[in-house]
Each structure stands twice: as structure tokens, then as C-alpha cells.
Amino acid sequence: MGKDREHMKTTVKRKLKVWEIALLVGLAIFLISGALALQTQEQLSDKVVRLHVLANSDSEEDQALKLLVRDAILERAEDLLSKSGDREEAEGLLRGRLLEFEQVAAAVIAQAGYDYPVRVELEDTQFPTKEYDGFTLPAGEYLALRVLIGEAKGQNWWCVVFPPLCTTASVEVPASALEAGLSEEEVRLITEENTGYVLKFKAVEWWQQAKQMWSEWT
């Protein structure tokens, strides 16, 4: 009986070690995959411009107004950026037209019967992971054309204004992204439709949080 118990203990210990090794290997793969995906995300953020429209409030009326403003801004931005060859050129065109975008938004707001002030700015903004029709962008800091309506305290709307992925059919997203200068690796990162990309994006979020905590400590 004593030998049997010792044998059982040895077997259990061996099984635990196998599980521990498997968990450590899995964690290592997760972290390495996340580090590589984070590097790709940072390269990706240098090639896109997000659109960020913030409603005055969460009231039904203010949310409907947000969408009207969004449509007008998208139309003008995509027309302006239609011939942009890269993010740098797109950024230059947008920075030179911020007042014009404010005027476009203000006209929509006034036509809808509101007198909210509106501010349009172009700045680096932190975004969470966001899934769209045909692609997903990992969490991180991106240059964003931000439209702030009134108090800008309502639910907001995000998408990508360059490349023009907001209005691109899902099947055309890869071609549109490649044409705007994204690499095949970056396109694969945002268009993969399997559990692999979910784990990669979770790892990216973890690395982003770790970087933020480290910067706060130092």
C-alpha cells in the first residue's frame, strides 16, 4: 500500500509539472505573439487616421445629430483625401482644413435646429480594440480627426477616414488598405477572422496597459 501511495504521489507530481510547463509555454507564446502584434500595431498607427465624433449627450436627438455630422464630415474628408498617397500627405491635408470641417459640422447642426458649438481637432488619441465590418483595429494610440459637438459627453463614433475604410465594402478592405500603403502583415492583422487575432489583440491590450503603467511609474 505504501508503495502504491508513493507511486500515485510521483505520478501526480509529474502531471502537475507537465501542466506547469504547458502553461508557461502558453504564456510565453501569448507574450511573444502580443509583442509582435504590438510592434505591427505601432507601425499600423503610423499609416492610418481615425475619425472620432463625440455627441453632445446620449439623448436620442443628440445621437441622431452625431450621425448627421458624421456623414457630412466623412463625405468631405474622403473627397479631400481621395488622392492622398500616404498618412503624412493625408495629415497635411486635414490640418489645413480643420476650420472648414468645423464649418461643415456647424452647418449641419444649425440646419438640424441646434445651436451647439463644435470643435474639430487632429490629435493622437488612445482607442480600445474596435471591430468593424470586414476589419478590426487593435487598441493603441492613433492620429484622429476628432469632432466634438457641444459638451461632447455622449457616446462617440469611431472609424478610419484614411484609408477610407469606413465606407469601403468589407470584401474590398484588404485592397484599399494595401493601396494606402499598409503592408500585407498589417492587413492580415486587421482582417483575420479567427480566434488567433482575438488572442493577439488581447495581448496588445495587455502590452499597452503594461507600457502605460511603466510610464506612470517612471
Side-chain angles (χ1 to χ4, degrees), residues 16-202:
L16 286 174
K17 286 182 178 180
V18 170
W19 274 105
E20 289 171 358
I21 292 171
L23 287 172
L24 289 173
V25 170
L27 178 60
I29 293 172
F30 173 77
L31 293 176
I32 292 171
S33 174
L36 293 174
L38 176 61
Q39 184 179 23
T40 303
Q41 182 277 324
E42 290 173 343
Q43 294 169 349
L44 177 67
S45 69
D46 289 333
K47 298 181 180 180
V48 305
V49 181
R50 306 285 292 263
L51 177 60
H52 191 198
V53 184
L54 293 84
N56 176 67
S57 75
D58 283 335
S59 73
E60 185 176 341
E61 295 78 10
D62 284 347
Q63 287 296 310
L65 177 64
K66 174 191 71 177
L67 298 180
L68 292 175
V69 172
R70 172 204 66 184
D71 292 344
I73 293 293
L74 263 179
E75 181 179 1
R76 182 67 191 104
E78 292 190 354
D79 180 60
L80 177 66
L81 302 178
S82 60
K83 296 182 180 179
S84 296
D86 54 34
R87 208 290 293 271
E88 184 178 359
E89 185 177 353
E91 179 180 355
L93 288 170
L94 291 172
R95 287 200 184 280
R97 300 295 183 91
L98 294 181
L99 180 58
E100 180 182 335
F101 282 116
E102 284 189 2
Q103 292 170 342
V104 168
V108 172
I109 293 169
Q111 187 175 3
Y114 298 89
D115 61 354
Y116 297 142
V118 61
R119 186 170 78 257
V120 178
E121 55 194 26
L122 192 65
E123 62 177 23
D124 291 328
T125 305
Q126 192 71 30
F127 288 90
T129 296
K130 182 66 176 177
E131 186 172 350
Y132 301 97
D133 182 22
F135 69 102
T136 303
L137 285 183
E141 189 174 82
Y142 296 83
L143 182 69
L145 181 66
R146 305 182 74 235
V147 184
L148 295 85
I149 304 171
E151 296 185 3
K153 293 182 177 179
Q155 294 183 41
N156 47 68
W157 187 89
W158 306 310
C159 202
V160 182
V161 72
F162 181 83
L165 302 184
C166 291
T167 55
T168 299
S170 59
V171 294
E172 298 175 358
V173 165
S176 180
L178 286 170
E179 185 178 351
L182 273 68
S183 68
E184 291 185 0
E185 182 181 0
E186 290 160 352
V187 172
R188 281 197 300 271
L189 177 67
I190 68 174
T191 58
E192 285 183 348
E193 295 183 357
N194 52 53
T195 55
Y197 93 85
V198 175
L199 291 176
K200 285 181 181 179
F201 286 4
K202 288 296 183 184

